[in-house]
């Protein structure tokens, strides 16, 4: 038997952080995605215990300032692309500059230097991941998805989707539909 699961990365990570901080009895406040303020002095032992408890989930504490800023850039992009409340119609360069209080040129150069890819490429990858989720959810047409993610046309979305995944969004839709049919058939 196979089931399909819909989840929000931000909510999952926040829940894990909350649970692990509570388990370690660390008084805290979650400020934003990936940022926690300790409301008390935390011993090295507690901090190590907390860090070790996050490791199995692929979550780690970041200490290097450049790495912290890179993570903030990634978090801001993920929030821009995946957040249902935010409007993706804003220019990403303006959004990142305003959100992170640095010039876009500085952010772009730093991101490329550390990650060996561009901010633009990271945004495309996130948009394609969101497109996949929206296709799997099956509630929006490709035209609606293209509009929602601020593509100029379905053809533009399709082109980026194919360049990133190797298949068209329509082919991806057919694969998902076929998998559901097989899963339903096997269930009966």
């Amino acid at each position: 038997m196979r089931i399909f699961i819909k989840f929000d990365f931000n909510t999952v990570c926040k829940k894990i952080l909350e649970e692990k901080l509570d388990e370690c009895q660390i008084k805290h406040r979650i400020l934003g995605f990936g940022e926690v303020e300790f409301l008390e002095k935390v011993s090295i032992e507690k901090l190590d215990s907390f860090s070790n408890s996050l490791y199995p989930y692929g979550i780690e504490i970041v200490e290097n300032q450049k790495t912290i800023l890179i993570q903030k850039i990634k978090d801001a992009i993920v929030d821009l692309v995946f957040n249902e409340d935010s409007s993706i119609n804003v220019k990403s360069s303006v959004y990142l500059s305003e959100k992170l209080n640095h010039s876009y040129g500085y952010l772009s150069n730093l991101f490329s230097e550390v990650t060996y890819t561009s901010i633009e490429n990271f945004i495309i990858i996130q948009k394609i991941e969101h497109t996949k989720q929206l296709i799997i959810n099956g509630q929006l047409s490709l035209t609606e998805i293209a509009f929602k993610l601020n593509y100029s046309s379905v053809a533009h979305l399709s082109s980026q989707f194919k360049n990133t995944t190797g298949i068209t969004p329509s082919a991806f839709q057919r694969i998902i539909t076929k998998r559901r049919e097989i899963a339903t058939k096997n269930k009966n």
Side-chain angles (χ1 to χ4, degrees), residues 3-9 11-12 82 84 130 132-134 136-139 148 180:
I3 62 170
F4 295 89
I5 298 172
K6 175 185 173 186
F7 55 90
D8 177 356
F9 295 106
T11 304
V12 171
F82 284 86
E84 298 296 324
H130 196 194
K132 287 182 199 175
Q133 285 184 1
L134 292 170
I136 289 168
N137 291 344
Q139 297 173 343
K148 178 179 181 65
R180 285 189 177 135

Side-chain angles (χ1 to χ4, degrees), residues 32 41-42 52-53 58 63 93 107 111 117 119 134 158 160 181:
K41 184 154 177 60
V42 178
N52 291 336
S53 72
E63 296 177 22
S93 57
L107 295 173
F111 194 87
T117 190
I119 286 177
L134 292 170
S158 295
Q160 282 193 346
E181 288 171 3

Side-chain angles (χ1 to χ4, degrees), residues 2 8 10 41 47 57 70 72 77-78 88 101 107-108 116 134 165 181:
R2 181 181 298 170
D8 177 356
N10 295 343
K41 184 154 177 60
L47 192 56
Y57 300 97
I70 295 302
K72 284 184 177 185
I77 291 168
V78 168
I88 199 164
N101 295 319
L107 295 173
S108 180
Y116 303 107
L134 292 170
T165 65
E181 288 171 3

